[in-house]
């Protein structure tokens, strides 16, 4: 795929994984204890296998280290950076790492909190630049469009997947032609083509991020979230599945489309709507796949078995994501991988 600047696939060798620690009391109100436990579990699973880099203001570092130590996190594999944020969703507000001629760069899209839904977002919009400086990477600011990392999924053949409901949404990119958006995305990720799906999950604050509905896996594979007719996401996921089956890779051949059923509806608040729970919101790290679980043993195990066949040689590690989901996301939404540079 040449020497151009390019975002590697997620299962490429990684130097580190980034996340943002939930320091503000307004995050997970009434569920702080459960949230800190969930973040500690996620941090521990990462730190046991590779370097974990945490965005966390200095005044909280001692407190966070104590929490992680109790959770048996490998603190020797944890680094803290004093980057202040407005929220915790590092996948979306943080930088997307790419490699250009053997050097690290950060794709830094303009960010507006998923279409201006949650104010303020000025610190989050600056996060990618700060992460670039911490990683000794060049910041590549792209002011032309608003986009989030969870809206884009890079495949090994140079195909980039995304959704119309996010990138073409007037709450992000009003008046910008589709062709211009494609041009910007292809250049930013070093991709050759874009595979557009229409919509994402019901009740998803992101307006339909791709990392909840369709993900690339090795060997020309796309994993597609599916659900039954009783699920309010059924219509959009059925249409997406057909689009993926009709799609072709760079060689003109169909992708190997693997179906990944959603869990049963996850409803946390009495009388509330189903939350956007999906096993597709996994994170690949060195030696493992961290897969969200939802307290549903049968479907959790079935999803793990599917991922085990796709990511051979990696442990499938379940991370209970019900508490994460209370604020709208899961494992992939909270993290961002930093690829390892090849040593010459």
């Amino acid at each position: 795929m040449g020497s151009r600047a390019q975002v590697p696939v997620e299962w490429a060798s990684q130097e580190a994984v980034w996340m943002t620690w939930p320091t503000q009391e307004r995050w997970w109100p009434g569920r702080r204890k459960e949230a800190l436990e969930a973040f500690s579990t996620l941090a521990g699973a990462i730190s046991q296998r590779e370097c974990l880099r945490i965005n966390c203001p200095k005044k909280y570092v001692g407190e966070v280290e104590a929490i992680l130590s109790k959770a048996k996190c490998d603190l020797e594999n944890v680094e803290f950076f004093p980057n202040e944020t407005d929220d915790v969703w590092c996948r979306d507000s943080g930088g997307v790492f790419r490699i250009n001629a053997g050097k690290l760069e950060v794709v830094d899209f303009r960010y507006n909190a998923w279409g201006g839904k949650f104010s303020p977002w000025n610190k989050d919009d600056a996060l990618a630049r700060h992460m670039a400086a911490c990683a000794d990477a060049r910041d590549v600011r792209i002011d032309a469009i608003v986009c989030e990392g969870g809206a884009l999924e890079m495949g090994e053949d140079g195909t980039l997947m995304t959704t119309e409901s996010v990138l073409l949404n007037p709450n992000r990119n009003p008046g910008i032609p589709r062709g211009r958006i494609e041009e910007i995305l292809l250049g930013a990720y070093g991709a050759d083509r874009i595979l557009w799906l229409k919509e994402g999950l019901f009740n998803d604050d992101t307006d339909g991020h791709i990392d909840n509905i369709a993900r690339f896996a090795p060997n020309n594979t796309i994993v597609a979230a599916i659900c039954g007719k009783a699920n309010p996401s059924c219509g959009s996921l059925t249409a997406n599945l057909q689009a993926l089956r009709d799609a072709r890779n760079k060689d003109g051949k169909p992708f190997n489309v693997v179906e990944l059923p959603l869990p049963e509806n996850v409803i946390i608040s009495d009388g509330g709507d189903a939350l956007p729970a999906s096993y597709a919101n996994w994170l690949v790290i060195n030696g493992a796949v961290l897969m969200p679980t939802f307290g549903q043993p049968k479907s959790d195990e079935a999803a793990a078995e599917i991922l085990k066949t796709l990511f051979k040689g990696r442990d499938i590690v379940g991370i209970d994501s019900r508490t994460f989901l209370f604020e709208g996301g899961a494992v992939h939404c909270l993290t961002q991988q930093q690829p390892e540079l090849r040593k010459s």
Side-chain angles (χ1 to χ4, degrees):
M1 291 162 45
S3 59
R4 61 183 166 173
Q6 191 169 62
V7 174
V9 294
E10 192 168 296
W11 56 91
S13 182
Q14 298 173 6
E15 178 179 330
V17 168
W18 289 75
M19 63 187 292
T20 297
W21 194 259
T23 53
Q24 297 188 34
E25 292 294 326
R26 65 184 178 87
W27 300 336
W28 282 273
R31 299 172 186 265
R32 292 289 298 166
K33 182 176 182 293
E34 295 91 337
L36 294 177
E37 289 175 353
F39 271 83
S40 297
T41 298
L42 177 58
I46 296 168
S47 69
Q48 289 162 16
R49 294 169 175 85
E50 63 183 272
C51 178
L52 171 64
R53 294 180 171 156
I54 301 179
N55 299 308
C56 178
K58 286 183 178 179
K59 64 181 179 180
Y60 298 107
V61 168
E63 172 188 328
V64 176
E65 285 182 325
I67 292 170
L68 294 180
S69 181
K70 289 181 181 179
K72 299 181 180 179
C73 190
D74 185 351
L75 291 178
E76 291 187 0
N77 251 358
V78 178
E79 299 174 356
F80 291 91
F81 295 92
N83 301 322
E84 295 189 0
T85 64
D86 299 297
D87 215 327
V88 297
W89 307 105
C90 190
R91 175 69 51 179
D92 293 345
S93 57
V96 175
F97 291 92
R98 73 182 189 186
I99 297 174
N100 187 2
K103 295 184 178 180
L104 198 64
E105 296 182 336
V106 165
V107 177
D108 179 4
F109 291 113
R110 191 154 50 92
Y111 177 80
N112 72 351
W114 311 284
K117 293 184 179 71
F118 305 101
S119 182
W121 58 78
N122 57 300
K123 291 178 182 176
D124 277 354
D125 189 36
L127 179 58
R129 171 167 51 87
H130 295 314
M131 286 173 58
C134 295
D136 195 25
R138 185 171 80 94
D139 178 56
V140 182
R141 178 68 173 183
I142 300 176
D143 274 316
I145 62 171
V146 170
C147 185
E148 306 93 40
L152 303 171
E153 174 80 359
M154 184 69 170
E156 60 193 344
D157 77 325
T159 300
L160 187 66
M161 274 197 300
T162 190
T163 56
E164 295 177 0
S165 58
V166 173
L167 267 297
L168 304 185
N169 198 314
N171 66 11
R172 288 170 174 80
N173 299 305
I176 303 179
R178 177 183 178 130
R180 176 56 180 152
I181 291 175
E182 286 195 356
E183 179 185 12
I184 294 167
L185 294 177
L186 292 175
Y189 268 62
D192 298 312
R193 68 197 64 78
I194 294 185
L195 172 51
W196 291 91
L197 300 182
K198 286 193 175 297
E199 297 178 334
L201 295 184
F202 169 78
N203 199 30
D204 184 350
D205 284 334
T206 72
D207 298 313
H209 272 184
I210 196 73
D211 64 358
N212 264 336
I213 59 172
R215 303 289 306 280
F216 284 110
N219 303 315
N220 193 47
T221 298
I222 298 178
V223 182
I226 63 167
C227 62
K229 292 182 179 179
N231 190 303
S233 295
C234 183
S236 60
L237 294 190
T238 300
N240 290 342
L241 180 62
Q242 187 59 55
L244 293 172
R245 287 173 172 164
D246 292 340
R248 295 296 180 265
N249 65 14
K250 67 175 181 179
D251 298 321
K253 298 179 180 179
F255 290 95
N256 173 33
V257 179
V258 175
E259 298 178 6
L260 182 66
L262 296 182
E264 295 298 316
N265 286 347
V266 177
I267 301 174
I268 294 178
S269 302
D270 291 340
D273 288 326
L275 297 175
S278 173
Y279 295 114
N281 205 259
W282 72 71
L283 172 72
V284 183
I285 63 174
N286 294 338
V289 178
L290 307 185
M291 186 197 82
T293 61
F294 301 100
Q296 301 176 22
K298 186 176 179 180
S299 57
D300 289 351
E301 180 59 30
E305 287 299 319
I306 291 171
L307 294 190
K308 191 179 298 183
T309 66
L310 300 176
F311 293 96
K312 298 185 186 303
R314 296 180 192 261
D315 298 329
I316 308 300
V317 180
I319 305 291
D320 191 328
S321 295
R322 287 172 290 181
T323 297
F324 297 146
L325 197 61
F326 180 75
E327 290 283 356
V331 174
H332 197 251
C333 302
L334 291 166
T335 55
Q336 180 60 256
Q337 70 279 359
Q338 178 180 329
E340 182 179 45
L341 294 177
R342 293 179 180 176
K343 297 177 176 61
S344 56

